[in-house]
Amino acid sequence: FYATALLRAARTLQDKNTPTGADWAEAFENAVTAISELGGAKPGDRTMIDALYPAARAFRDAVNKGASIASAWERATAAARVGSKATAKMKPNLGRASYLGKCAVGIPDAGAAAVVVSVVHVAKGSLPGPFVLDGCDVPIITAYLFHAGGHENPATLQSNAGKSFQGSILLGMGFTFDD
């Protein structure tokens, strides 16, 4: 889904040497539309769209009121968080949570929560703190979503080196049926 969104946003911005806030807002809205078209979700279906749609709308509204791109993105982040939390009260209509039916109610949608994480990480580079993490003001939100520490990639476990992406290993014929 994210690849589709990024491709649509890139297409929107491809001829803009110096995109304005309005250009970024259009690209964001087009990206959300692309995801909605691909998956068929709309606001209220309890999917990532429930976080993305209000984020894009908040970004557009902020830009239209003269806010800087950084400030508009901060408002988009807050709107995504509110949208994500709202999914906990929704019965899932689409996505993986739809397989759980009413059992999913009470827990925010995972896709919507992932949107919040993504939006926060886009904003990190340009927004000054303090930030809000788990209801508390914090000076930083790290790549690991903690209030302190660094952004470095996790260290590779040497004992597991060479074990990932080893391909298929056939260990037998599996289940076969003979008629």
Side-chain angles (χ1 to χ4, degrees):
F1 288 100
Y2 287 117
T4 300
L6 292 172
L7 286 169
R8 183 79 60 94
R11 195 175 312 137
T12 303
L13 297 171
Q14 72 184 2
D15 295 326
K16 315 265 195 272
N17 290 334
T18 308
T20 64
D23 295 331
W24 284 108
E26 181 183 4
F28 192 6
E29 289 169 338
N30 288 344
V32 174
T33 299
I35 291 174
S36 181
E37 290 171 355
L38 179 65
K42 60 190 179 312
D45 282 334
R46 190 197 155 107
T47 66
M48 64 188 341
I49 293 296
D50 292 300
L52 283 168
Y53 183 81
R57 189 177 58 231
F59 187 86
R60 167 68 76 186
D61 290 348
V63 165
N64 286 347
K65 292 177 182 171
S68 68
I69 292 173
S71 179
W73 197 257
E74 185 175 7
R75 292 180 193 167
T77 301
R81 188 174 290 115
V82 169
S84 175
K85 286 183 180 181
T87 62
K89 296 177 183 172
M90 299 176 187
K91 180 182 177 289
N93 296 322
L94 291 172
R96 284 179 278 186
S98 66
Y99 304 131
L100 301 172
K102 63 183 178 184
C103 293
V105 175
I107 301 168
D109 181 71
V115 165
V116 174
V117 172
S118 300
V119 173
V120 165
H121 280 281
V122 168
K124 278 183 6 179
S126 59
L127 291 178
F131 302 100
V132 178
L133 182 66
D134 295 328
C136 299
D137 286 342
V138 295
I140 183 174
I141 300 176
T142 71
Y144 297 103
L145 298 180
F146 291 119
H147 67 281
H151 297 294
E152 66 281 344
N153 288 328
T156 303
L157 290 174
Q158 293 304 315
S159 62
N160 287 338
K163 292 185 180 177
S164 295
F165 307 109
Q166 63 186 358
S168 298
I169 299 174
L170 300 176
L171 300 174
M173 291 180 53
F175 293 99
T176 61
F177 297 95
D178 292 75
D179 286 280

